[in-house]
Amino acid sequence: MARNRHYWDEVAAGHHGPLARAQWALTEPRWGLWATPESEARLLPPDLPGARVVELGCGTAYVSAWLARAGARPVGIDVSASQLATARAMQAEFGLDFPLVLGSAEDVPYPDDSFDLAISEFGASLWCDPDRWIPEAARLLRPGGRLVFSRYAPLYALTVSPAGSATTTLHHPHFGGLGRIDRGDRVEFVPSHGETLRTLRASGFVVEDLIEIRAPAPAHREFDEVSSEWAHRWPSEEIWKATLGPAPVSAA
């Protein structure tokens, strides 16, 4: 967490901060690398008005802004003070106000059963240990609450070359090559589908959907880590949707 906090405060915030205004200004949520519209991805539940939402690893909190406009009551938490400073500037500019908390999604300072929805778009879902943040999301959600998160797809992580770009060659083993990925100045987490399913089930979640995102053709942008041509053929990112089951009944 210390490495990732430093990375976002000192390196990544300088790149992502300038993007915040355009993201906050969107009239329809657009998700992930390829800006998949909500009308296509259908991440969000229909009962957002009045829902209590926690955004885990909120960054500049544009997702929370989208949810607030839809009538939800969001809370954003992030380890990066720089990112939260940008989020507060955007709140002032766009006239939205909701809590922003400096802290880790692995240990959120809210009581059990505080939220109806937990969401993470390349936030805690990529930058926190899933064996810690997923059980924490379960603790924060009421029974029947929903968890939605997006991250890199395992196939993308397996094909990334030493130069940092997705290729058509497997550069990493499936067994022992996924999960915790040490990139020197930061640590990312891209567990396999099997590992993710087991972690979700152990935390009490029922998986509702796994959406593998396909880049559009033509695409509106390109990335150093993955080209749109690659991501039109194979998934570079994915979205998980799960519901927390009812609390177990204690034996008499």
Side-chain angles (χ1 to χ4, degrees):
M1 188 177 69
R3 258 195 289 174
N4 286 347
R5 179 190 291 116
H6 181 269
Y7 175 77
W8 278 99
D9 278 341
E10 305 298 332
V11 181
H15 172 67
H16 287 266
L19 302 176
R21 183 171 290 102
Q23 292 165 324
W24 272 69
L26 289 174
T27 55
E28 179 187 11
R30 289 182 171 268
W31 304 101
L33 298 175
W34 309 110
T36 305
E38 170 60 18
S39 57
E40 179 182 331
R42 299 186 182 278
L43 267 71
L44 302 176
D47 53 350
L48 273 178
R52 301 163 298 168
V53 183
V54 60
E55 185 184 359
L56 301 170
C58 67
T60 60
Y62 57 87
V63 172
S64 288
W66 298 341
L67 297 174
R69 290 198 192 99
R73 295 180 291 160
V75 171
I77 183 166
D78 201 274
V79 298
S80 170
S82 295
Q83 290 286 82
L84 291 182
T86 300
R88 292 188 178 95
M90 292 299 99
Q91 284 184 323
E93 181 174 333
F94 285 87
L96 290 175
D97 185 35
F98 47 83
L100 294 168
V101 179
L102 181 63
S104 172
E106 297 177 3
D107 185 17
V108 179
Y110 278 80
D112 297 359
D113 304 334
S114 290
F115 299 99
D116 304 298
L117 171 67
I119 190 166
S120 181
E121 189 203 30
F122 283 83
S125 51
L126 180 64
W127 300 97
C128 291
D129 186 340
D131 290 331
R132 296 183 179 181
W133 81 262
I134 290 178
E136 181 68 348
R139 182 189 70 79
L140 293 167
L141 288 170
R142 61 169 178 78
R146 297 180 176 95
L147 172 64
V148 176
F149 62 93
S150 61
R151 66 180 189 195
Y152 289 127
L155 183 59
Y156 161 80
L158 290 171
T159 63
V160 171
S161 71
S165 298
T167 68
T168 58
T169 301
L170 294 174
H171 288 277
H172 308 278
H174 177 88
F175 299 109
L178 287 174
R180 179 189 171 105
I181 302 173
D182 193 327
R183 299 197 183 278
D185 60 351
R186 63 197 188 277
V187 177
E188 298 173 355
F189 294 88
V190 187
S192 69
H193 289 154
E195 290 174 332
T196 302
L197 281 168
R198 285 187 288 275
T199 302
L200 287 166
R201 292 187 64 183
S203 300
F205 286 104
V206 176
V207 175
E208 304 292 345
D209 204 357
L210 168 59
I211 305 165
E212 295 169 305
I213 297 297
R214 187 182 194 184
H220 68 296
R221 62 175 79 175
E222 297 292 336
F223 296 93
D224 291 339
E225 62 264 37
V226 61
S227 69
S228 62
E229 180 184 5
W230 191 100
H232 190 69
R233 300 175 67 190
W234 302 286
S236 58
E237 58 185 327
E238 61 189 25
I239 299 163
W240 290 76
K241 299 168 68 173
T243 301
L244 188 66
V249 178
S250 300

